[in-house]
């Protein structure tokens, strides 16, 4: 195999190393927490907290109703047991009972409103939990795919690196240096020759250069310095 063909193969390997290396970097950056999952977890936790607060309010309201009801019962017993005869005192007692009944009815309205909010929030929590479960399942699957991809890419890269070392061992180090130097400047060191043109710079090549390149000798394009390769 001519040295130019070896350099061309080296370049193919370098290109594959680069594209697979980029793919690996991209996949690796996607590993880890997913912002959507994190956000959904935070939202669900704040809904749970809201529910706890509502239940606490509900309990307070129920205690208040119980308290008022027992006060009303006591006062009503006093009103009807016949021990109080004074009409003014009886009227005052009735007035106090009416006031407590109004307050109790307000507390019952409040308790009902809180109960509705509890039901509403429990519904929200069920929806949010399902959404989180779906997101977590999707995320887990995505992470599994990513892990598989990463393992495959690492194998590909290690195979390519081995091939690269094998080819490098066969090429004169000075020529490898030349290849690396042009690669650094131009991105690709080897250019195919196509219809008498260097495909690196699109300049038509002199016949003498074409002939030497065709024979497999190492010839650099007189215009862009790339190493010319006949496929
Ligand atoms: Zn050129």
């Amino acid at each position: 195999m001519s040295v130019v063909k070896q350099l061309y193969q080296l370049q193919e390997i370098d290109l594959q190393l680069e594209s697979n290396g980029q793919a690996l970097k991209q996949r690796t950056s996607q590993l880890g927490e997913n912002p959507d999952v994190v956000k959904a977890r935070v939202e669900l936790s704040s809904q749970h907290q809201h529910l706890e607060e509502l239940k606490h309010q509900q309990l307070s309201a129920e205690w208040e109703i119980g308290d008022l009801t027992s006060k009303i019962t006591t006062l009503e017993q006093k009103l009807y047991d016949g021990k109080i005869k004074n009409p003014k005192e009886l009227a005052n007692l009735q007035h106090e009972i009416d006031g407590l009944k109004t307050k109790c009815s307000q507390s019952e309205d409040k308790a009902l409103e809180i109960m509705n909010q509890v039901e509403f929030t429990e519904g929200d929590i069920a929806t949010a939990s399902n959404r989180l479960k779906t997101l977590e399942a999707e995320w887990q699957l995505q992470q599994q795919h990513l892990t598989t991809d990463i393992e495959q890419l690492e194998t590909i890269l290690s195979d390519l690196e081995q091939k690269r070392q094998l080819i490098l061992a066969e090429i004169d180090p000075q020529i490898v240096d030349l290849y690396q130097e042009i690669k650094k400047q131009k991105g690709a060191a080897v250019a195919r020759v196509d219809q008498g043109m260097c495909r690196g710079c699109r300049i038509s090549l002199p016949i003498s250069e074409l002939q030497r390149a065709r024979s497999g000798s190492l010839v650099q394009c007189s215009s862009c310095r790339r190493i010319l390769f006949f496929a």
Side-chain angles (χ1 to χ4, degrees):
M1 195 193 300
S2 76
V3 71
V4 179
K5 179 135 199 215
Q6 285 173 324
L7 288 174
Y8 184 75
Q9 284 183 349
L10 179 63
Q11 175 162 293
E12 292 287 293
I13 290 170
D14 280 347
L15 287 172
Q16 285 176 38
L17 273 168
E18 201 177 311
S19 68
N20 284 292
Q22 270 169 4
L24 178 65
K25 214 166 147 185
Q26 194 252 350
R27 302 286 191 289
T28 310
S29 76
Q30 285 179 294
L31 274 181
E33 286 285 25
N34 175 312
D36 289 341
V37 174
V38 175
K39 201 175 150 210
R41 271 195 207 126
V42 171
E43 273 170 15
L44 185 61
S45 143
S46 95
Q47 279 168 331
H48 271 297
Q49 209 178 336
H50 182 52
L51 182 65
E52 285 309 306
E53 279 163 21
L54 285 173
K55 283 188 168 172
H56 183 73
Q57 285 176 22
Q58 191 180 20
L59 210 60
S60 298
E62 279 163 7
W63 281 340
E64 204 182 331
I65 292 164
D67 199 30
L68 288 167
T69 309
S70 89
K71 270 184 191 160
I72 291 165
T73 311
T74 312
L75 291 182
E76 276 180 340
Q77 277 170 356
K78 248 168 119 181
L79 184 68
Y80 298 121
D81 69 5
K83 284 178 188 161
I84 301 170
K85 306 266 196 276
N86 184 331
K88 203 184 167 212
E89 220 177 301
L90 285 170
N92 281 343
L93 197 55
Q94 183 63 58
H95 184 72
E96 200 184 339
I97 291 168
D98 289 347
L100 288 173
K101 280 188 171 167
T102 307
K103 227 173 146 187
C104 190
S105 153
Q106 283 167 352
S107 292
E108 279 166 352
D109 288 347
K110 202 172 125 193
L112 201 65
E113 169 59 24
I114 295 168
M115 213 171 78
N116 284 337
Q117 285 185 37
V118 166
E119 270 179 39
F120 193 72
T121 307
E122 280 172 343
D124 279 354
I125 285 176
T127 309
S129 294
N130 283 335
R131 191 172 162 266
L132 179 63
K133 266 184 211 156
T134 309
L135 282 174
E136 279 178 333
E138 282 171 2
W139 173 76
Q140 214 168 9
L141 197 67
Q142 189 209 26
Q143 295 293 300
Q144 279 169 6
H145 285 315
L146 280 174
T147 310
T148 312
D149 280 1
I150 286 170
E151 282 167 7
Q152 282 172 349
L153 284 165
E154 278 169 347
T155 310
I156 291 171
L157 283 167
S158 127
D159 287 351
L160 284 168
E161 196 52 56
Q162 267 183 3
K163 275 190 196 166
R164 188 173 192 273
Q165 292 305 325
L166 285 174
I167 288 194
L168 279 179
E170 288 175 18
I171 309 172
D172 177 351
Q174 275 187 324
I175 294 177
V176 174
D177 286 349
L178 175 70
Y179 167 89
Q180 296 287 21
E181 186 207 320
I182 304 171
K183 182 173 177 259
K184 211 167 153 188
Q185 283 176 3
K186 307 278 182 185
V190 183
R192 274 168 173 267
V193 176
D194 190 20
Q195 294 179 332
M197 272 198 304
C198 161
R199 273 175 72 173
C201 64
R202 296 259 155 219
I203 294 275
S204 289
L205 297 160
I207 300 288
S208 58
E209 268 181 34
L210 282 174
Q211 278 171 345
R212 279 170 51 230
R214 200 192 294 272
S215 73
S217 308
L218 196 153
V219 181
Q220 286 177 256
C221 168
S222 49
S223 168
C224 71
R225 293 189 62 239
R226 288 190 181 90
I227 297 157
L228 297 170
F229 173 62
F230 266 94

